[in-house]
Amino acid sequence: MHPSTSASIRTILPLALVTGVSMAAMDLYLPAVPALQLGMGISVPLAQATIAVYLAGLAAAQLLWGELLNRLGPRRCMEVGLALLALTSLGCALAPNIETLLVLRLLQGVAAAAATVVAPSVVRATLADADVVRGIAAISMVEAIVPAAGPVLGALMLTVVDWRGTFWVLAGLSLLVLPWVVKIAPRQLPGLNLAHDASYAAILRNRSYLRLALSHALCIGALLTFLASAPQLLQHALGLGSSAFALLQVLGVGSFMLGASQSGRLAKRLGHARVVRLGASAQVLACTLALLGASLGHLPYAAVVAYWMCFCGSLAIRGPATFVDALAVPPAQMGRATAMLILALLAAGALGTQLVAPFLGGEGSAVPVFCGVLVQLLASAALVWRYPAPPAAR
């Protein structure tokens, strides 16, 4: 094995694992929500609030960890984040009432946000250019697997433990990966120069970063918009149930993993600009065809599956290259740049989901969903069609 390949694996694997553990705090927990409701004797809205406050903490803490990355360094951020994730998981497992659980779930979201900021920053800053796309792709693969496998594993766990057992497992996983991640995370980002202007204003003045970050955020926003709307779309427009959505998820994840396994090789062979344009074109074409079928009143399930597989596979090809080029900023800016990028994609997903939500529930719901997705994809493609030079990382 080539030395650089071995070094990249030692860096990527622990960071991918810690990303997976952080995401499991949501996806492993989801099946336990009804059991929590019954166990605590609370209402459905209160039980669902344990999901909402976690997401609120995750989103709000992006900027917090972006600030702390330079001040504490990647290693200390990972130590604090994973330790807090373990402690809050233990607290959730022992929570005596819903009020305590809600506070701890909020803090759990704050803890999980450390991985979303630190992991890609470390990969971008420490790996050679030949390995960095592959590193981001590997983390993306974990981010695709956990939402698909987490609820299944969580449901299986509930056959042997109650809802509190989910949090005991999360605490154990956090402590298990902590020593490994701390060992490979650098004390500070390589080349860090704190004299460099790392203000948000300076980052936003970088037009290349802005275009690449917005393009990636809109692409992920399109994904989240469709994903959040798909269960209602399948039920009301196609008359299908949860099993159809589950199959759609499995096929989408499989397509993403296949694309991600090739993204590094394609980026090296074709160049980042061509790979991103290729992925964006495929997504726009697939969505346009799906919208046309929906407009004609004939959209079979097979067409939805074909669209989703094309979308996910194309995202896996274009996404890592876009993400890597967006973060080609000075190390002093990397934490804040990553935080703003993650926050932007979460916001795009939330906004897109809410904009199409009023149109769901009828037989024609497929048309507004695909319209909303297509608008985001067209804007995303337009931002990178004349591919901006990656931000200078001086």
Side-chain angles (χ1 to χ4, degrees), residues 172-368:
L173 290 174
S174 302
L175 294 174
L176 185 65
V177 299
L178 178 58
W180 197 8
V181 173
V182 168
K183 184 177 180 180
I184 62 94
R187 292 187 179 277
Q188 67 176 31
L189 293 177
L192 179 65
N193 179 8
L194 294 178
H196 199 285
D197 186 359
S199 66
Y200 288 109
I203 298 171
L204 293 174
R205 284 196 300 267
N206 190 324
R207 293 185 179 181
S208 294
Y209 167 80
L210 203 57
R211 286 174 57 190
L212 290 164
L214 285 175
S215 177
H216 189 62
L218 286 166
C219 182
I220 300 299
L223 176 140
L224 296 175
T225 298
F226 178 81
L227 194 60
S229 307
Q232 297 279 15
L233 183 151
L234 292 173
Q235 179 180 345
H236 296 289
L238 279 72
L240 300 174
S242 58
S243 59
F245 178 67
L247 178 60
L248 192 69
Q249 274 287 77
V250 170
L251 293 173
V253 170
S255 300
F256 186 92
M257 292 183 65
L258 179 61
S261 68
Q262 301 301 314
S263 60
R265 184 178 294 109
L266 288 173
K268 184 177 180 180
R269 180 181 302 175
L270 302 178
H272 290 195
R274 288 183 180 178
V275 163
V276 172
R277 285 197 291 261
L278 175 65
S281 299
Q283 288 178 320
V284 169
L285 177 60
C287 190
T288 300
L289 292 175
L291 177 59
L292 180 61
S295 301
L296 295 175
H298 181 66
L299 186 68
Y301 179 64
V304 178
V305 169
Y307 153 76
W308 188 234
M309 291 178 68
C310 180
F311 183 102
C312 293
S314 300
L315 172 62
I317 290 172
R318 66 170 286 196
T322 311
F323 199 98
V324 164
D325 285 348
L327 293 186
V329 296
Q333 295 181 350
M334 200 165 288
R336 289 177 172 176
T338 303
M340 284 196 294
L341 175 52
I342 302 298
L343 192 58
L345 65 88
L346 291 173
L351 180 61
T353 299
Q354 288 303 114
L355 287 177
V356 303
F359 303 98
L360 297 175
E363 292 184 2
S365 58
V367 172

